[in-house]
Amino acid sequence: MAYAARPRRTTMVLAALSLGVMALTACNGDGDKDSAAPSAGSSPSAGGAGKGSAAPSTSAPSDGGKADGDSADSGGSGGSTPQASAPAADDGQDGGVGMCETTDLSYNVTVASKPVNHALLKATNKSSDSCLLPANELVITIPGLDGAAEHAGPEGKDWILKSGESAYAGILFSRADTEGGKTADKVEIALTPAESPATVPINDGPVTVNDGQVTSFFGTAEDALTY
């Protein structure tokens, strides 16, 4: 009977060992689940990385913005037509200031004491606006002489004549070495050949006319009477 008890003990031992193995297997399974949990937890970071990778896609509008900017630039070059107004400066304007017209100025012609046979022309801007004075196109016509007076002296530069400011030109009526001539008590003045002249009396006249010359406009009476 004692011999038969050993197999039972052996069986019980084997059963106990089997239960231990099963318990260890179950523990390993739980460990695998626990180790799998961090990987599951890491999936949000992967999702976060996905969101982070989405950030470059948000930069696409800025690229699109550049594209829009490029198109705006190209549109800007295409829209450079307003610059076509720049040639207005070639159409007789300087910085938005129009050319002086004969009717914009008042005129005074006075016989000069020196040099002899000369008169001084004073032209004053009587308008309320500044204008660009053409310095070298002055046309002086003296009744009794054919054609306009010839140009004498150096050429000046056009300049902006403000309201109330004056410019000066010298007029030669006759040469000292030439005898005779016609009598004149007025002159006709135009700033350019294309304009209708203004008739201006000669102060301290009349004068004897046998020649006609006129200078460009200058800023002072002294300069105008030098030539």
Side-chain angles (χ1 to χ4, degrees), residues 161-175:
L161 193 65
K162 296 180 180 179
S163 177
E165 288 186 341
S166 299
Y168 302 87
I171 303 173
L172 170 67
F173 289 117
S174 62
R175 295 182 179 277

Side-chain angles (χ1 to χ4, degrees), residues 100-120:
C100 296
E101 297 182 358
T102 299
T103 55
D104 293 329
L105 310 184
S106 62
Y107 306 93
N108 184 287
V109 178
T110 304
V111 175
S113 57
K114 292 181 181 181
V116 296
N117 303 327
H118 280 70
L120 177 68

